[in-house]
Amino acid sequence: MSGLPLPHDTNSPYTHALPVVEDDDRPAPAPEEVETLHDAEWHRAREFAYEVASALPSHWLPLREALGGVLAEDVTAPIPVPHYASSAMDGYAVAGSQPWTVVFPEPVETDPRKMLTIPPKDLYRPVLNLEPGQATRIVTGGLVPAGARAVLRDEYAHLSEEGTVLTISADAPSAEDIPYGQNIRHTGEEVAAGDVILRGECLLNPAHIAFAAVSGHDMLPVRRRPRVTILLTGSEVVEDGIPEPGQVRDAFGPQLPTFVEMLGGSVDQLRRVEDTARAMLAALTEAPSGMASVLDARTEVVVTTGGTGHSDADHVRSALEELGAVFLLDGLAQRPGHPTFLAKLPEEGPFVVGLPGNPLAAMVSMFTVAEPLLARLHGDPAPTTLTVPAAEELPGQKVTALVPGYLTDGKVAPRDRVGANMLRGLAHADVLVVVPPEGVAAGADAEVVPLPWR
């Protein structure tokens, strides 16, 4: 910074823009105490994860990037559409009654040598005005000259041998006259300036983007998808091939980013972290080459997998505690997924969703904590469930159970192979069945969570 004036240099032209920092010996205010929700019941956990966050401010995106986003507010047209009177046909713009004398565009230069230096599209001055009894050539979309009353399409145009006099051909629908305004797209015919062209809350599709473009927009206000960093733990995990005994294939890396996107997030980083306290702390605080750290990357949510327990082998909690994180939701009264937690790093840092290492437990816990959290940050309503009659009795457990289920004849039945470490049941499921501790009788309504990929 050598060469720059000091902040309090009164001769500096920048002094007025810099805050004056006074010494303050007053103690910093104590952080607000937050009561942690322990072993939360499933419904309460979903509500809490939604309530604890606030919707992110919207942002403006270029049209191409806005595609697929949710429009944050109504959008109006800054100009009429069309914004000028244009021809709907190739033909002749005509003024007054026939016969018409054809008026041709004039060259911008009479010196042929200078004409060679002018781009072809600029060689001639367009005809901007017509007097009664005149006509001029026009193409589809071309500017209709002032004074023109209609456009005579090519099929019904008859030119004299010299090409200077125009009349309506004998085989035209009416060889006597052409209706006023025929084949002219009038200014504001589709949209008037100030009209609402897109309503807020709509999911922007290609037609919306095209309509916004022709209405004069380059960018649109879109709800911001929360940025998500994913930290995967597990030294025994291999990312490809057949795992050796003692190793497991990575179940999270291939699917979790897409899963997060389906729930409304936008994944900024996906990183694998060694199973050590130092590695987890580094992943949260240090920037690897070419990437920003979690704390300074403006990430709103961090999702971790594994290491959420309290043993010496679980390091996620200790790293968060060292950083001063507040645990908002610690443990769920559900199976699978009990060790799931929701924390928040200090100084407006990101939320941290700690998922268990077992794949089914982690994925169902995404619906309990991550789905409502991401919905709130994105400005969406709280996610809802459905009810479907149970095809058979669903026995209860000590806590709420989330069981992959399939739909048959309008009823829901549980899948098999649904242990916390198993994915077979979820891979072929239509819904997640929320089974309360008291169970669900056959034929009674069962609460189900829709799966975003079904």
Side-chain angles (χ1 to χ4, degrees):
M1 298 295 290
S2 60
L4 291 180
L6 296 174
H8 299 297
D9 182 352
T10 55
N11 294 320
S12 167
Y14 306 105
T15 302
H16 69 280
L18 296 170
V20 177
V21 179
E22 302 290 347
D23 291 336
D24 191 348
D25 295 329
R26 290 176 298 177
E32 182 181 352
E33 291 190 10
V34 177
E35 184 176 351
T36 304
L37 198 59
H38 292 277
D39 295 335
E41 186 272 334
W42 186 80
H43 295 88
R44 178 61 189 131
R46 291 249 292 182
E47 292 171 357
F48 182 84
Y50 186 81
E51 295 166 356
V52 77
S54 299
L56 298 171
S58 61
H59 58 171
W60 288 77
L61 291 179
L63 294 183
R64 183 176 296 181
E65 295 179 27
L67 181 63
V70 176
L71 193 65
E73 59 191 56
D74 290 354
V75 173
T76 58
I79 57 172
V81 180
H83 64 283
Y84 64 93
S86 63
S87 176
M89 295 284 177
D90 290 346
Y92 291 85
V94 298
S97 303
Q98 65 174 325
W100 298 284
T101 301
V102 179
V103 179
F104 297 95
E106 296 181 353
V108 296
E109 277 290 344
T110 56
D111 187 338
R113 293 170 299 178
K114 291 182 178 180
M115 292 284 280
L116 295 174
T117 66
I118 301 173
K121 64 184 181 64
D122 298 326
L123 286 174
Y124 295 91
R125 295 188 180 92
V127 177
L128 301 178
N129 295 280
L130 290 177
E131 299 295 332
Q134 292 182 330
T136 190
R137 189 85 176 92
I138 195 169
V139 296
T140 302
L143 175 66
V144 174
R149 59 188 295 270
V151 171
L152 178 64
R153 60 195 298 173
D154 275 337
E155 295 93 316
Y156 304 140
H158 180 266
L159 284 173
S160 64
E161 290 185 7
E162 299 80 7
T164 57
V165 177
L166 174 71
T167 56
I168 302 173
S169 64
D171 58 349
S174 173
E176 301 299 322
D177 196 10
I178 177 172
Y180 182 85
Q182 188 175 74
N183 299 326
I184 292 180
R185 298 167 178 159
H186 298 283
T187 302
E189 183 176 83
E190 185 175 2
V191 174
D195 280 357
V196 174
I197 59 168
L198 296 174
R199 293 288 182 187
E201 310 306 312
C202 71
L203 184 65
L204 292 166
N205 60 38
H208 292 143
I209 298 301
F211 191 27
V214 300
S215 299
H217 287 280
D218 297 316
M219 305 181 79
L220 290 174
V222 177
R223 284 199 212 149
R224 191 155 65 78
R225 294 166 68 94
R227 290 176 290 259
V228 179
T229 289
I230 300 174
L231 302 179
L232 308 176
T233 66
S235 300
E236 76 284 7
V237 174
V238 294
E239 298 182 356
D240 51 48
I242 306 298
E244 298 289 340
Q247 297 179 332
V248 295
R249 269 297 296 267
D250 177 18
F252 296 122
Q255 57 84 13
L256 200 49
T258 302
F259 194 180
V260 168
E261 298 275 349
M262 287 179 173
L263 297 181
S266 177
V267 176
D268 278 356
Q269 300 183 39
L270 173 67
R271 296 161 58 184
R272 183 163 295 286
V273 184
E274 292 182 7
D275 278 337
T276 66
R278 181 185 296 274
M280 178 53 66
L281 191 62
L284 291 168
T285 57
E286 297 176 6
S289 177
M291 299 177 69
S293 76
V294 167
L295 295 184
D296 65 14
R298 298 179 300 158
T299 290
E300 280 88 29
V301 178
V302 177
V303 176
T304 67
T305 62
T308 57
H310 296 271
S311 74
D312 293 340
D314 297 319
H315 305 295
V316 178
R317 288 176 178 275
S318 59
L320 291 172
E321 289 167 355
E322 186 169 343
L323 293 173
V326 175
F327 284 80
L328 306 171
L329 186 64
D330 196 356
L332 303 175
Q334 75 173 41
R335 288 183 179 174
H338 169 259
T340 302
F341 66 74
L342 174 64
K344 197 170 194 312
L345 286 163
E347 299 180 3
E348 300 302 317
F351 290 97
V352 181
V353 178
L355 300 175
N358 282 318
L360 181 61
M363 292 189 73
V364 299
S365 294
M366 284 285 289
F367 291 102
T368 307
V369 178
E371 183 181 28
L373 177 66
L374 294 174
R376 184 60 178 267
L377 291 170
H378 191 231
D380 294 332
T384 58
T385 57
L386 305 172
T387 56
V388 180
E392 60 185 71
E393 180 184 0
L394 303 173
Q397 303 183 37
K398 291 182 179 180
V399 294
T400 298
L402 298 177
V403 181
Y406 65 98
L407 302 175
T408 174
D409 297 328
K411 297 181 179 181
V412 65
R415 284 286 183 192
D416 58 359
R417 313 296 210 288
V418 292
N421 62 324
M422 298 180 180
L423 289 173
R424 178 172 172 172
L426 185 61
H428 300 286
D430 297 312
V431 293
L432 283 179
V433 188
V434 183
V435 183
E438 64 272 19
V440 179
D445 281 344
E447 185 177 12
V448 300
V449 179
L451 301 178
W453 52 83
R454 300 297 289 181

